[in-house]
Amino acid sequence: MGIVDAVFVFRTAKRVAKLAVQEAQANIVFHAKTSSLLSSGFKARQTTDPEIEHQKPLNKTATEINTFPAPLQQNTLSEYATSEPVESIVIPTADLTHLKLHVSPPPIVLRPHCTQVQVGSEIAEMHEEQPQLKAASMPANRVSRLFHYGSLAVGLGIGAVGEAAKRWSGLQLAGDQPSSSVFLSRANIDRIVAKLTRMRGAALKLGQMLSIQDSKSMSPEIAQVLQRVQNSANYVPMPQLEKTMESDIGPNWRSKFASFSDEPFAAASIGQVHEAKVNDELHEQLGISKVAVKVQYPGVANSIDSDLNNMQSLLVMSKLLPRGMYLDNTIRVARKELHWECDYQREAEAMDKFGTLLANDPVFLVPRLVKQLSNKMVLTAEYMEGTHMKHAEGYEQHIRDFIGTHIMRLCLQELFEFEFMQTDPNWANFLYNHQTRRISLLDFGASRSFGKEFLDKYLRVLRAAMDGDREACRHWSTELGFLTGYEADIMTQAHVDSVLEIGKPFRQSGIYDFGNQDVSSNVRSAIPVMLRHRLTPPPEETYSLHRKLSGAFLLCIKLRARVPCQDLFKDITSKYIFADGTQLKYD
């Protein structure tokens, strides 16, 4: 947001907030004088917020649903539906010192689908209810998006004033437990969810980047925002879809398909995905019929910079993030990665590259690109069959071990063999096919390479962690840029402790049991110290790299997989050639 925009927004917020304070004071006096309102039978006056009016319920009884219990899981809304209106909500106290870069949450699947779950020697089918579809146009230009961010800023300011006044008066509803920040009140969470659901794009991606290592340490308020947005099934209506398809594929684009589902089956922060079948001519040329067509939301690519500036202003104003988060650096990295992900032609090249790299792999499959139906804002590829990894924890142990082992293998190969990594660790990007025992890879927008100097030093750090060598961990962490050499002893010790914890699975010979690990809790315990005492932000490359590695670790933990981590590490890294021509040697 520019200086003029910021001044306008915050002056408006100040004027409106002043009126809100006056109204709140009048309400406090009124409530104090009216003893009947303070009785046990008091019920809050329910109001309608125009900012969230457009968000329709998923079913008749879901109108009253305001939150999800923590820790948040991928459950259907029907589990929490109630026939009685919810008058109050309990929000656990936030602990924002635990914020850490993390895996982005998986995109929601919008249509009902059938999930295969291994039960003994049989494969059972389990039908899962999904959020209902809702078409909602997206603000597609900078002015309209600025208006929405401005109105959100004003709304949050009013909500914060009202929440502060309510806490001061002691008039919280029965059972209410205030969060640590007045900006994350129940009403403000509703406002944020409503806006991000409609805006999506860079705002939602930044929220994903600011989420933490796992749900056990996630700030409940931030977790609630991310979870509710992920469960909000907004997609662009047909006029906007038609305009994008005509612009990218041509005015007669429908003639190139034998069928095309106007209703998408998946939606994420940048685009939505439709199921289709190509016409007979393309079928003969390509040898495939069923395809997935990813269509980018209009205006997302052009609004990245302004959206991130607006979000940065809101985050700074609300003071939700600790100093150690280095928000400026996070925004800068997010800006670069979002421009990458909005470049569908770049993603098409990455998909082709992975197809070549994994052409002879016995486990992983890469969908074939349909170049004739792809362009700047449309990406068409072979439709891959399988089930999402979020359902894999119900599989038999040997299948979970198989999946965990090969996901870990792929991460190490991408880093030290291919030197090219798909860094988005969404579990929905991996589909397991029970019939073929193959894993399909999806979504290559976040693919990137790493410089040789970085990889050399990073491998030295991991080798030191595997060997349990504290001094080597400190030295190579300083060389890599994690440390400056001037940190307090408590910071250096916390950093080295964390690195050694990450190396623990590779340090243990034989099988490492992720179902009986303490790495995540040990690393998490060091985060507050590092946020408080770090003198420099992490190396830029590690923002995306650590999301991918932490995603692989967390998937193995979720699966309770037993993985030969040390054998994988030694086998792959022993083939890596450093810039000076040397290689690692193992006993």
Side-chain angles (χ1 to χ4, degrees), residues 235-287:
Y235 65 95
V236 297
M238 279 308 300
Q240 286 185 315
L241 176 67
E242 289 275 1
K243 184 176 180 180
T244 300
M245 293 296 291
E246 288 178 4
S247 174
D248 258 36
I249 308 302
N252 298 320
W253 65 271
R254 284 191 182 271
S255 66
K256 300 176 182 180
F257 295 95
S259 64
F260 184 93
S261 174
D262 291 340
E263 189 176 276
F265 68 82
S269 55
I270 292 175
Q272 60 196 43
V273 189
H274 298 256
E275 184 179 318
K277 289 184 177 181
V278 298
N279 62 22
D280 292 340
E281 181 181 351
L282 285 175
H283 183 198
E284 290 181 7
Q285 293 178 18
L286 303 170

Side-chain angles (χ1 to χ4, degrees), residues 16 31 42 63 177 212 298 305 335 367 388 442 463 523 558:
V16 178
H31 290 162
F42 170 68
T63 308
Q177 294 181 5
I212 57 172
D305 294 333
R335 194 184 310 275
H388 290 178
L442 309 176
R463 172 63 190 272
V523 171
K558 177 185 176 71

Side-chain angles (χ1 to χ4, degrees), residues 415-533:
L415 199 54
F416 300 118
E417 184 177 328
F418 306 155
E419 299 183 18
F420 187 71
M421 174 176 271
Q422 192 286 97
T423 62
D424 185 350
N426 282 344
W427 294 341
N429 290 341
F430 304 93
L431 302 180
Y432 178 68
N433 190 311
H434 284 280
Q435 280 70 38
T436 64
R437 286 176 60 85
R438 305 289 295 272
I439 300 174
S440 297
L441 305 179
L442 309 176
D443 196 344
F444 300 88
S447 301
R448 62 163 297 169
S449 58
F450 297 97
K452 193 68 174 177
E453 182 181 2
F454 171 82
L455 288 176
D456 283 3
K457 294 176 179 178
Y458 195 80
L459 180 51
R460 298 290 189 188
V461 172
L462 291 183
R463 172 63 190 272
M466 189 193 79
D467 292 340
D469 188 337
R470 296 187 65 88
E471 176 55 28
C473 283
R474 184 205 62 77
H475 170 77
W476 288 110
S477 292
T478 304
E479 289 290 316
L480 196 55
F482 280 109
L483 302 173
T484 65
Y486 298 98
E487 283 80 7
D489 289 343
I490 189 174
M491 169 61 195
T492 303
Q493 180 176 333
H495 172 80
V496 172
D497 287 345
S498 297
V499 173
L500 291 175
E501 285 296 324
I502 293 172
K504 188 179 290 185
F506 305 115
R507 196 178 311 138
Q508 180 173 312
S509 60
I511 300 296
Y512 183 82
D513 186 357
F514 280 95
N516 186 29
Q517 60 82 41
D518 57 2
V519 171
S520 57
S521 60
N522 290 342
V523 171
R524 188 164 56 243
S525 65
I527 293 174
V529 173
M530 291 190 287
L531 287 178
R532 194 175 305 116
H533 295 285

Side-chain angles (χ1 to χ4, degrees), residues 294 340 343-357 366-371 374-376 378-381 420-422 443-448:
K294 183 162 69 170
W340 285 349
D343 187 347
Y344 281 4
Q345 291 174 323
R346 180 182 183 276
E347 180 176 355
E349 293 174 0
M351 184 185 298
D352 274 346
K353 183 170 184 175
F354 269 105
T356 300
L357 290 170
V366 176
R368 286 173 284 178
L369 175 69
V370 182
K371 295 181 180 180
S374 300
N375 208 325
K376 292 181 179 180
V378 178
L379 184 65
T380 304
F420 187 71
M421 174 176 271
Q422 192 286 97
D443 196 344
F444 300 88
S447 301
R448 62 163 297 169

